[in-house]
Amino acid sequence: DADVTQTPRNRITKTGKRIMLECSQTKGHDRMYWYRQDPGLGLRLIYYSFDVKDINKGEISDGYSVSRQAQAKFSLSLESAIPNQTALYFCATSETSGSLDTQYFGPGTRLTVL
Amino acid sequence: AQSVTQLGSHVSVSEGALVLLRCNYSSSVPPYLFWYVQYPNQGLQLLLKYTSAATLVKGINGFEAEFKKSETSFHLTKPSAHMSDAAEYFCAVSVDSSASKIIFGSGTRLSIRP
């Protein structure tokens, strides 16, 4: 079974709709992240969470919100989706090991906003 | 602020030829550097990481990268390309010493010609 799972894997929605993307992990890591990937732009950080009570904005948080329901779950919401939020979204985790962190990525959610 | 620049959005090599993917970084503090690979329809996975222990870093699947401070570079190489190496490759730099927040380059798509 995958260590980092994302649901749904694909979603098509309309402008103005509320969308939630979910991420679950079985790695036992404290830290979780949401990125979006756009062609030619690489990955950009939306939000990150170092533990259940610690949530921080990334470089492109406008139009998004997150919820860290438990150590293993980190959800990303688009309150009112717009077409330029069409992208591939990745969840990632990392552990606080005292050494250089490695991030582990989920398989991605492809979101299309019409 | 840290940043990475990947030279060439697309690189094509023949099977058996040398692979060279270029990455230059900008950092006001000693950087931590990564190469990630993304196979089609999958999330990113770590190829290798530089932690200042050694300037030549060996990764998975025969890849290696050399940290050159004087050139602010961290180019990825593989002596002999294999068809299975076709993927998108991302160079990344950490923004803090714990390396939990990572800035990604825009990616280089590697194609392998038979």
Side-chain angles (χ1 to χ4, degrees), chain A residues 35-45 59 105, chain B residues 2-9 22-26 32-36 38 44 88-95 102-109:
Chain A
Y35 293 90
R36 65 176 280 175
Q37 183 181 24
D38 298 277
L41 294 179
L43 276 74
R44 292 179 291 168
L45 183 63
E59 64 177 298
F105 286 80
Chain B
Q2 284 85 353
S3 65
V4 288
T5 302
Q6 291 185 240
L7 301 176
S9 59
R22 299 178 187 274
C23 172
N24 287 90
Y25 69 91
S26 173
Y32 299 95
L33 295 160
F34 307 80
W35 276 99
Y36 280 85
Q38 184 181 29
L44 280 70
E88 188 147 21
Y89 292 79
F90 293 92
C91 182
V93 63
S94 68
V95 297
I102 298 176
I103 302 296
F104 287 87
S106 57
T108 297
R109 183 164 60 91

Side-chain angles (χ1 to χ4, degrees), chain B residues 97-112:
Chain B
S97 59
S98 69
S100 288
K101 290 187 292 177
I102 298 176
I103 302 296
F104 287 87
S106 57
T108 297
R109 183 164 60 91
L110 176 65
S111 299
I112 311 296

Side-chain angles (χ1 to χ4, degrees), chain B:
Chain B
Q2 284 85 353
S3 65
V4 288
T5 302
Q6 291 185 240
L7 301 176
S9 59
H10 183 208
V11 171
S12 180
V13 302
S14 298
E15 189 174 18
L18 171 71
V19 175
L20 171 61
L21 304 182
R22 299 178 187 274
C23 172
N24 287 90
Y25 69 91
S26 173
S27 178
S28 56
V29 298
Y32 299 95
L33 295 160
F34 307 80
W35 276 99
Y36 280 85
V37 60
Q38 184 181 29
Y39 296 105
N41 300 314
Q42 295 186 26
L44 280 70
Q45 63 182 83
L46 184 69
L47 267 181
L48 51 82
K49 57 186 178 183
Y50 167 72
T51 63
S52 77
T55 56
L56 183 63
V57 183
K58 294 186 183 298
I60 61 172
N61 301 337
F63 284 93
E64 62 182 35
E66 186 172 9
F67 173 71
K68 292 187 176 180
K69 184 177 179 180
S70 61
E71 299 177 7
T72 62
S73 69
F74 190 57
H75 302 331
L76 182 70
T77 60
K78 181 174 181 177
S80 177
H82 192 272
M83 296 299 291
S84 61
D85 295 327
E88 188 147 21
Y89 292 79
F90 293 92
C91 182
V93 63
S94 68
V95 297
D96 56 45
S97 59
S98 69
S100 288
K101 290 187 292 177
I102 298 176
I103 302 296
F104 287 87
S106 57
T108 297
R109 183 164 60 91
L110 176 65
S111 299
I112 311 296
R113 301 187 300 271

